[in-house]
Amino acid sequence: MAKLKLNEMTQEQLESYEKQLEQEIDSLTKVVEASNTTVFDILINEVKEEMKNNIAEEEWKVLKENQKKIESYRSIEKALQNQEDLLEKKEEELVNVQDALKNYQTHLFDNQPEEEQAVDTGFTFGNCGQPINVGDIYKSRNSDAVGNIPYYIIKKSAELEGSFAIASNMFEGERLLQYPANKELLNETSYVGNIYIEDDCYQDAIEALQYFADNQEENSESDSETEEDKE
């Protein structure tokens, strides 16, 4: 399985990765602190001096042994340098993970048991009576005054256990699906797809979810800037 990018990870995956990196950094730090590459420079210089004597005294067998010593020291020195480089990379990655956690946008469908992901809500859509499932995405046939496209996403309610709700990039929070006025939000919309059902509509649903997420992130940043202005 391909390695996930940080922006593709759930909060739990990021937290697990953070712990993994912290453990790896701790182990690498101990190795690096216990090692001193300058020691190998001193050893190599001493062997080089011996080699000069080997040449002068034509001790060719000893000369070859000393050459192997230098190769061995340099190999160990390189391995230690690689450990230092790896430690630096791990520390940079940890900063990125912690930043991703700090700015994590809560996903609508995180932590949902797999068997409930595309559960039937009991409601239907359109004249054909298509069942409405958790994970369904609907796109409005109209845009707002500034050209934003309204998207509606069906989710399990976070406010009322056992209920289902509509979330949208056009309003904050959720609106319970059992209220007719809320269900009417789906009028004048087209079914895009379900993010849990990998059929012909799946990729369109994923792209719509990304549009929704980007819009939510922009709104969140805008709200933060507004709060800062008030301060």
Side-chain angles (χ1 to χ4, degrees), residues 8-131:
E8 296 173 345
M9 291 183 176
T10 64
Q11 186 171 4
E12 288 72 19
Q13 287 172 323
L14 285 168
E15 289 172 347
S16 176
Y17 189 33
E18 180 185 32
K19 290 180 181 178
Q20 176 188 325
L21 286 170
E22 287 173 342
Q23 291 172 354
E24 291 174 348
I25 287 170
D26 182 58
S27 297
L28 284 167
T29 299
K30 289 176 181 177
V31 171
V32 171
E33 288 179 348
S35 308
N36 189 342
T37 54
T38 58
V39 172
F40 292 96
D41 292 333
I42 294 171
L43 291 172
I44 288 171
N45 288 332
E46 287 182 355
V47 175
K48 283 181 178 179
E49 290 299 320
E50 288 183 23
M51 289 173 71
K52 291 177 183 179
N53 295 330
N54 297 153
I55 294 170
E57 297 173 9
E58 298 184 0
E59 295 176 334
W60 310 121
K61 183 178 179 180
V62 180
L63 178 65
K64 287 183 179 180
E65 291 175 354
N66 283 330
Q67 284 178 319
K68 289 180 180 179
K69 280 185 182 179
I70 287 180
E71 290 172 3
S72 177
Y73 290 150
R74 282 180 173 160
S75 177
I76 297 172
E77 189 176 33
K78 184 177 180 181
L80 290 173
Q81 182 59 53
N82 288 340
Q83 295 281 61
E84 291 177 3
D85 293 343
L86 182 58
L87 174 59
E88 186 175 339
K89 288 179 181 178
K90 294 287 184 181
E91 288 173 335
E92 290 176 357
E93 183 70 354
L94 179 60
V95 170
N96 292 334
V97 170
Q98 291 172 336
D99 186 60
L101 277 168
K102 181 180 177 181
N103 299 291
Y104 184 78
Q105 296 291 322
T106 303
H107 294 170
L108 290 170
F109 304 99
D110 280 354
N111 305 319
Q112 192 160 201
E114 185 174 353
E115 66 272 13
E116 297 181 358
Q117 286 182 342
V119 66
D120 186 347
T121 65
F123 297 94
T124 59
F125 169 74
N127 295 328
C128 62
Q130 176 183 328

Side-chain angles (χ1 to χ4, degrees), residues 137 192 194-196 201-211:
I137 295 182
V192 176
N194 187 296
I195 63 167
Y196 298 127
C201 304
Y202 177 71
Q203 191 56 44
D204 290 336
I206 295 300
E207 290 176 3
L209 182 62
Q210 185 60 56
Y211 177 92

Side-chain angles (χ1 to χ4, degrees), residues 105 169 171-173 215-231:
Q105 296 291 322
N169 59 316
F171 55 77
E172 295 182 2
N215 190 277
Q216 291 290 84
E217 186 172 0
E218 289 175 6
N219 289 340
S220 177
E221 290 175 355
S222 177
D223 291 342
S224 296
E225 290 173 0
T226 302
E227 290 299 320
E228 289 176 1
D229 290 340
K230 289 180 180 179
E231 293 176 0

Side-chain angles (χ1 to χ4, degrees), residues 136-189:
D136 281 351
I137 295 182
Y138 298 87
K139 177 181 179 181
S140 175
R141 299 190 186 98
N142 306 304
S143 60
D144 68 2
V146 294
N148 293 318
I149 303 172
Y151 279 93
Y152 302 98
I153 300 177
I154 307 302
K155 61 188 284 288
K156 293 182 69 176
S157 173
E159 299 175 2
L160 187 62
E161 186 176 355
S163 296
F164 303 95
I166 301 173
S168 174
N169 59 316
M170 304 305 291
F171 55 77
E172 295 182 2
E174 62 178 36
R175 299 188 183 180
L176 293 173
L177 192 56
Q178 64 257 42
Y179 295 111
N182 292 338
K183 188 171 177 291
E184 286 177 6
L185 291 169
L186 301 182
N187 294 343
E188 302 301 319
T189 66

